[in-house]
Amino acid sequence: MYIVNQDECVGCCGCVECCSENAFYMTSEERLAIDETKCNMCGFCAVCCPIDCIYDDGEGIPQEQPPTSIFSSSDFWSVLPSWLNVPFVYGGESVNGADCSGLLWGIYNDMGLYYDRCGTSEFSNNPHWFQVDSPLPGDIIVWPGHHSMLYYPYGSYDGISALATANGARSGWACTSWFSIAYGNPIYFRYRR
């Protein structure tokens, strides 16, 4: 289970805001703790914690095996050109304008891989996405509450490393190092039917 290190926690409540399960509560000593009956072991709280005082004690719910990737490089390259240089529109999900999660949703739908659109903090609750330890091509990289992108380390489009993202004013390609510096360690998700 995930544990809050009480000696290091400063009570900023960043974890509370990230938790979609409302698993955090205040103890009688006015300290944050995690309700094990509500925690789904997604790990978003640990990623969101700015001082890294939340950790997995290794005794959590046994995890099922990750699904085999069904991502198709040929499908990806065939739908990608229509999604390049799409204007950034918060909440958008079309070639007329998209944010990062809308861009991913559009690319996946155009490839015939359907799921209910979700924001960056909602991938762990979407039944089509499975959290994995390391990404394969086509997996989603998520910085909860901040940003998400499609991982594709092979090839390039117009000479730029292939990571599909809505970045700034236009969608296109970016590298993960900037996002990791800005937002911390990401979480990886793989699509499953």
PDB file of all heavy atoms in Angstrom, residues 14 21 24 27 42 57 79 100-101 107-108 110 118 146-147 153 168 173 176 179 184 186:
ATOM      1  N   GLY A  14      -1.182  18.306  -1.906  1.00  0.00           N
ATOM      2  CA  GLY A  14      -1.083  18.012  -3.334  1.00  0.00           C
ATOM      3  C   GLY A  14      -1.589  16.619  -3.649  1.00  0.00           C
ATOM      4  O   GLY A  14      -2.242  16.389  -4.664  1.00  0.00           O
ATOM      5  N   GLU A  21      -9.814   8.782  -5.876  1.00  0.00           N
ATOM      6  CA  GLU A  21     -10.575   7.862  -5.023  1.00  0.00           C
ATOM      7  C   GLU A  21     -10.918   8.464  -3.655  1.00  0.00           C
ATOM      8  O   GLU A  21     -11.530   7.787  -2.827  1.00  0.00           O
ATOM      9  CB  GLU A  21      -9.781   6.567  -4.823  1.00  0.00           C
ATOM     10  CG  GLU A  21      -9.418   5.864  -6.108  1.00  0.00           C
ATOM     11  CD  GLU A  21     -10.641   5.457  -6.912  1.00  0.00           C
ATOM     12  OE1 GLU A  21     -11.581   4.915  -6.326  1.00  0.00           O
ATOM     13  OE2 GLU A  21     -10.644   5.706  -8.131  1.00  0.00           O
ATOM     14  N   PHE A  24      -7.521   9.922   0.914  1.00  0.00           N
ATOM     15  CA  PHE A  24      -6.784  10.599   1.979  1.00  0.00           C
ATOM     16  C   PHE A  24      -7.719  11.108   3.066  1.00  0.00           C
ATOM     17  O   PHE A  24      -8.846  11.521   2.798  1.00  0.00           O
ATOM     18  CB  PHE A  24      -5.966  11.767   1.400  1.00  0.00           C
ATOM     19  CG  PHE A  24      -4.746  11.305   0.670  1.00  0.00           C
ATOM     20  CD1 PHE A  24      -4.824  10.950  -0.658  1.00  0.00           C
ATOM     21  CD2 PHE A  24      -3.533  11.187   1.311  1.00  0.00           C
ATOM     22  CE1 PHE A  24      -3.716  10.494  -1.347  1.00  0.00           C
ATOM     23  CE2 PHE A  24      -2.418  10.729   0.648  1.00  0.00           C
ATOM     24  CZ  PHE A  24      -2.509  10.380  -0.681  1.00  0.00           C
ATOM     25  N   THR A  27      -5.706  12.473  10.197  1.00  0.00           N
ATOM     26  CA  THR A  27      -5.696  11.687  11.437  1.00  0.00           C
ATOM     27  C   THR A  27      -6.037  12.581  12.625  1.00  0.00           C
ATOM     28  O   THR A  27      -6.105  13.808  12.503  1.00  0.00           O
ATOM     29  CB  THR A  27      -4.316  11.046  11.677  1.00  0.00           C
ATOM     30  OG1 THR A  27      -3.369  12.084  11.945  1.00  0.00           O
ATOM     31  CG2 THR A  27      -3.881  10.218  10.475  1.00  0.00           C
ATOM     32  N   CYS A  42      -2.905   3.326  -7.693  1.00  0.00           N
ATOM     33  CA  CYS A  42      -2.516   3.902  -8.987  1.00  0.00           C
ATOM     34  C   CYS A  42      -1.169   4.618  -8.918  1.00  0.00           C
ATOM     35  O   CYS A  42      -0.475   4.741  -9.912  1.00  0.00           O
ATOM     36  CB  CYS A  42      -3.597   4.840  -9.504  1.00  0.00           C
ATOM     37  SG  CYS A  42      -3.763   6.380  -8.571  1.00  0.00           S
ATOM     38  N   ASP A  57       4.884   0.618   0.041  1.00  0.00           N
ATOM     39  CA  ASP A  57       5.572  -0.257   0.999  1.00  0.00           C
ATOM     40  C   ASP A  57       5.785  -1.667   0.459  1.00  0.00           C
ATOM     41  O   ASP A  57       6.324  -2.529   1.139  1.00  0.00           O
ATOM     42  CB  ASP A  57       4.836  -0.300   2.333  1.00  0.00           C
ATOM     43  CG  ASP A  57       3.487  -0.993   2.264  1.00  0.00           C
ATOM     44  OD1 ASP A  57       3.086  -1.446   1.177  1.00  0.00           O
ATOM     45  OD2 ASP A  57       2.821  -1.072   3.318  1.00  0.00           O
ATOM     46  N   VAL A  79      -2.223   7.851 -39.711  1.00  0.00           N
ATOM     47  CA  VAL A  79      -3.164   8.848 -39.180  1.00  0.00           C
ATOM     48  C   VAL A  79      -2.458  10.101 -38.670  1.00  0.00           C
ATOM     49  O   VAL A  79      -3.069  11.162 -38.552  1.00  0.00           O
ATOM     50  CB  VAL A  79      -4.059   8.272 -38.051  1.00  0.00           C
ATOM     51  CG1 VAL A  79      -4.810   7.060 -38.527  1.00  0.00           C
ATOM     52  CG2 VAL A  79      -3.288   7.982 -36.784  1.00  0.00           C
ATOM     53  N   CYS A 100      -3.594  18.069 -24.939  1.00  0.00           N
ATOM     54  CA  CYS A 100      -2.777  16.846 -25.023  1.00  0.00           C
ATOM     55  C   CYS A 100      -3.615  15.581 -24.926  1.00  0.00           C
ATOM     56  O   CYS A 100      -3.427  14.645 -25.713  1.00  0.00           O
ATOM     57  CB  CYS A 100      -1.664  16.857 -23.979  1.00  0.00           C
ATOM     58  SG  CYS A 100      -2.186  17.067 -22.269  1.00  0.00           S
ATOM     59  N   SER A 101      -4.574  15.511 -23.999  1.00  0.00           N
ATOM     60  CA  SER A 101      -5.375  14.282 -23.884  1.00  0.00           C
ATOM     61  C   SER A 101      -6.339  14.145 -25.060  1.00  0.00           C
ATOM     62  O   SER A 101      -6.630  13.031 -25.504  1.00  0.00           O
ATOM     63  CB  SER A 101      -6.123  14.234 -22.555  1.00  0.00           C
ATOM     64  OG  SER A 101      -6.924  15.375 -22.365  1.00  0.00           O
ATOM     65  N   ILE A 107      -5.930  10.527 -32.043  1.00  0.00           N
ATOM     66  CA  ILE A 107      -5.012   9.631 -32.748  1.00  0.00           C
ATOM     67  C   ILE A 107      -5.426   8.181 -32.532  1.00  0.00           C
ATOM     68  O   ILE A 107      -5.520   7.396 -33.475  1.00  0.00           O
ATOM     69  CB  ILE A 107      -3.549   9.872 -32.298  1.00  0.00           C
ATOM     70  CG1 ILE A 107      -3.050  11.227 -32.808  1.00  0.00           C
ATOM     71  CG2 ILE A 107      -2.638   8.738 -32.775  1.00  0.00           C
ATOM     72  CD1 ILE A 107      -1.697  11.638 -32.253  1.00  0.00           C
ATOM     73  N   TYR A 108      -5.690   7.816 -31.285  1.00  0.00           N
ATOM     74  CA  TYR A 108      -6.091   6.429 -30.994  1.00  0.00           C
ATOM     75  C   TYR A 108      -7.407   6.078 -31.681  1.00  0.00           C
ATOM     76  O   TYR A 108      -7.550   4.988 -32.235  1.00  0.00           O
ATOM     77  CB  TYR A 108      -6.182   6.199 -29.483  1.00  0.00           C
ATOM     78  CG  TYR A 108      -4.934   5.550 -28.937  1.00  0.00           C
ATOM     79  CD1 TYR A 108      -3.808   6.299 -28.636  1.00  0.00           C
ATOM     80  CD2 TYR A 108      -4.882   4.179 -28.748  1.00  0.00           C
ATOM     81  CE1 TYR A 108      -2.665   5.704 -28.160  1.00  0.00           C
ATOM     82  CE2 TYR A 108      -3.745   3.568 -28.275  1.00  0.00           C
ATOM     83  CZ  TYR A 108      -2.638   4.333 -27.979  1.00  0.00           C
ATOM     84  OH  TYR A 108      -1.506   3.732 -27.520  1.00  0.00           O
ATOM     85  N   ASP A 110      -8.647   7.381 -34.440  1.00  0.00           N
ATOM     86  CA  ASP A 110      -8.391   7.262 -35.873  1.00  0.00           C
ATOM     87  C   ASP A 110      -7.691   5.945 -36.222  1.00  0.00           C
ATOM     88  O   ASP A 110      -7.811   5.461 -37.340  1.00  0.00           O
ATOM     89  CB  ASP A 110      -7.559   8.441 -36.384  1.00  0.00           C
ATOM     90  CG  ASP A 110      -8.392   9.716 -36.541  1.00  0.00           C
ATOM     91  OD1 ASP A 110      -9.608   9.675 -36.262  1.00  0.00           O
ATOM     92  OD2 ASP A 110      -7.815  10.744 -36.947  1.00  0.00           O
ATOM     93  N   CYS A 118     -10.397  10.876 -21.628  1.00  0.00           N
ATOM     94  CA  CYS A 118     -10.091  11.140 -20.222  1.00  0.00           C
ATOM     95  C   CYS A 118      -8.955  12.149 -20.143  1.00  0.00           C
ATOM     96  O   CYS A 118      -8.138  12.259 -21.050  1.00  0.00           O
ATOM     97  CB  CYS A 118      -9.733   9.852 -19.490  1.00  0.00           C
ATOM     98  SG  CYS A 118      -8.355   8.924 -20.170  1.00  0.00           S
ATOM     99  N   HIS A 146      -0.952  17.356 -15.347  1.00  0.00           N
ATOM    100  CA  HIS A 146      -0.153  18.300 -16.120  1.00  0.00           C
ATOM    101  C   HIS A 146      -0.185  18.021 -17.619  1.00  0.00           C
ATOM    102  O   HIS A 146      -0.560  18.881 -18.403  1.00  0.00           O
ATOM    103  CB  HIS A 146       1.304  18.289 -15.646  1.00  0.00           C
ATOM    104  CG  HIS A 146       1.493  18.740 -14.251  1.00  0.00           C
ATOM    105  ND1 HIS A 146       1.299  20.035 -13.853  1.00  0.00           N
ATOM    106  CD2 HIS A 146       1.832  18.058 -13.135  1.00  0.00           C
ATOM    107  CE1 HIS A 146       1.532  20.139 -12.557  1.00  0.00           C
ATOM    108  NE2 HIS A 146       1.857  18.953 -12.104  1.00  0.00           N
ATOM    109  N   HIS A 147       0.252  16.827 -18.010  1.00  0.00           N
ATOM    110  CA  HIS A 147       0.493  16.606 -19.428  1.00  0.00           C
ATOM    111  C   HIS A 147       0.497  15.118 -19.745  1.00  0.00           C
ATOM    112  O   HIS A 147       0.786  14.290 -18.888  1.00  0.00           O
ATOM    113  CB  HIS A 147       1.852  17.207 -19.811  1.00  0.00           C
ATOM    114  CG  HIS A 147       2.057  17.326 -21.273  1.00  0.00           C
ATOM    115  ND1 HIS A 147       1.410  18.259 -22.046  1.00  0.00           N
ATOM    116  CD2 HIS A 147       2.820  16.611 -22.122  1.00  0.00           C
ATOM    117  CE1 HIS A 147       1.780  18.116 -23.301  1.00  0.00           C
ATOM    118  NE2 HIS A 147       2.639  17.120 -23.378  1.00  0.00           N
ATOM    119  N   PRO A 153       9.442   6.008 -29.818  1.00  0.00           N
ATOM    120  CA  PRO A 153      10.861   6.379 -29.894  1.00  0.00           C
ATOM    121  C   PRO A 153      11.525   6.095 -31.220  1.00  0.00           C
ATOM    122  O   PRO A 153      12.685   6.437 -31.405  1.00  0.00           O
ATOM    123  CB  PRO A 153      11.474   5.508 -28.797  1.00  0.00           C
ATOM    124  CG  PRO A 153      10.627   4.278 -28.808  1.00  0.00           C
ATOM    125  CD  PRO A 153       9.222   4.763 -29.107  1.00  0.00           C
ATOM    126  N   GLY A 168       2.233  23.752 -26.207  1.00  0.00           N
ATOM    127  CA  GLY A 168       2.189  25.163 -26.515  1.00  0.00           C
ATOM    128  C   GLY A 168       1.070  25.497 -27.479  1.00  0.00           C
ATOM    129  O   GLY A 168      -0.065  25.085 -27.310  1.00  0.00           O
ATOM    130  N   TRP A 173       5.526  17.302 -32.095  1.00  0.00           N
ATOM    131  CA  TRP A 173       6.539  16.453 -31.495  1.00  0.00           C
ATOM    132  C   TRP A 173       7.242  17.191 -30.368  1.00  0.00           C
ATOM    133  O   TRP A 173       7.432  18.389 -30.420  1.00  0.00           O
ATOM    134  CB  TRP A 173       7.563  16.053 -32.539  1.00  0.00           C
ATOM    135  CG  TRP A 173       6.968  15.332 -33.687  1.00  0.00           C
ATOM    136  CD1 TRP A 173       6.792  15.821 -34.950  1.00  0.00           C
ATOM    137  CD2 TRP A 173       6.426  14.024 -33.693  1.00  0.00           C
ATOM    138  NE1 TRP A 173       6.185  14.880 -35.736  1.00  0.00           N
ATOM    139  CE2 TRP A 173       5.948  13.763 -34.987  1.00  0.00           C
ATOM    140  CE3 TRP A 173       6.286  13.032 -32.727  1.00  0.00           C
ATOM    141  CZ2 TRP A 173       5.365  12.572 -35.352  1.00  0.00           C
ATOM    142  CZ3 TRP A 173       5.705  11.832 -33.090  1.00  0.00           C
ATOM    143  CH2 TRP A 173       5.254  11.615 -34.384  1.00  0.00           C
ATOM    144  N   THR A 176      10.670  13.983 -23.997  1.00  0.00           N
ATOM    145  CA  THR A 176      10.190  13.802 -22.631  1.00  0.00           C
ATOM    146  C   THR A 176      11.047  14.512 -21.597  1.00  0.00           C
ATOM    147  O   THR A 176      10.586  14.791 -20.510  1.00  0.00           O
ATOM    148  CB  THR A 176      10.134  12.308 -22.259  1.00  0.00           C
ATOM    149  OG1 THR A 176      11.434  11.757 -22.375  1.00  0.00           O
ATOM    150  CG2 THR A 176       9.151  11.575 -23.126  1.00  0.00           C
ATOM    151  N   PHE A 179       9.548  17.702 -20.041  1.00  0.00           N
ATOM    152  CA  PHE A 179       8.380  17.468 -19.198  1.00  0.00           C
ATOM    153  C   PHE A 179       8.777  16.829 -17.875  1.00  0.00           C
ATOM    154  O   PHE A 179       8.213  17.139 -16.840  1.00  0.00           O
ATOM    155  CB  PHE A 179       7.354  16.606 -19.930  1.00  0.00           C
ATOM    156  CG  PHE A 179       6.749  17.315 -21.102  1.00  0.00           C
ATOM    157  CD1 PHE A 179       7.167  17.038 -22.385  1.00  0.00           C
ATOM    158  CD2 PHE A 179       5.776  18.285 -20.908  1.00  0.00           C
ATOM    159  CE1 PHE A 179       6.628  17.710 -23.464  1.00  0.00           C
ATOM    160  CE2 PHE A 179       5.236  18.967 -21.990  1.00  0.00           C
ATOM    161  CZ  PHE A 179       5.664  18.678 -23.268  1.00  0.00           C
ATOM    162  N   GLY A 184       8.259  16.212 -12.999  1.00  0.00           N
ATOM    163  CA  GLY A 184       8.669  15.045 -12.223  1.00  0.00           C
ATOM    164  C   GLY A 184       8.529  13.754 -13.007  1.00  0.00           C
ATOM    165  O   GLY A 184       8.408  13.743 -14.224  1.00  0.00           O
ATOM    166  N   PRO A 186       7.108  10.501 -14.715  1.00  0.00           N
ATOM    167  CA  PRO A 186       5.824  10.171 -15.339  1.00  0.00           C
ATOM    168  C   PRO A 186       5.323   8.780 -14.948  1.00  0.00           C
ATOM    169  O   PRO A 186       6.041   7.999 -14.330  1.00  0.00           O
ATOM    170  CB  PRO A 186       6.152  10.205 -16.828  1.00  0.00           C
ATOM    171  CG  PRO A 186       7.579   9.746 -16.884  1.00  0.00           C
ATOM    172  CD  PRO A 186       8.231  10.322 -15.642  1.00  0.00           C
TER     173      PRO A 186
END
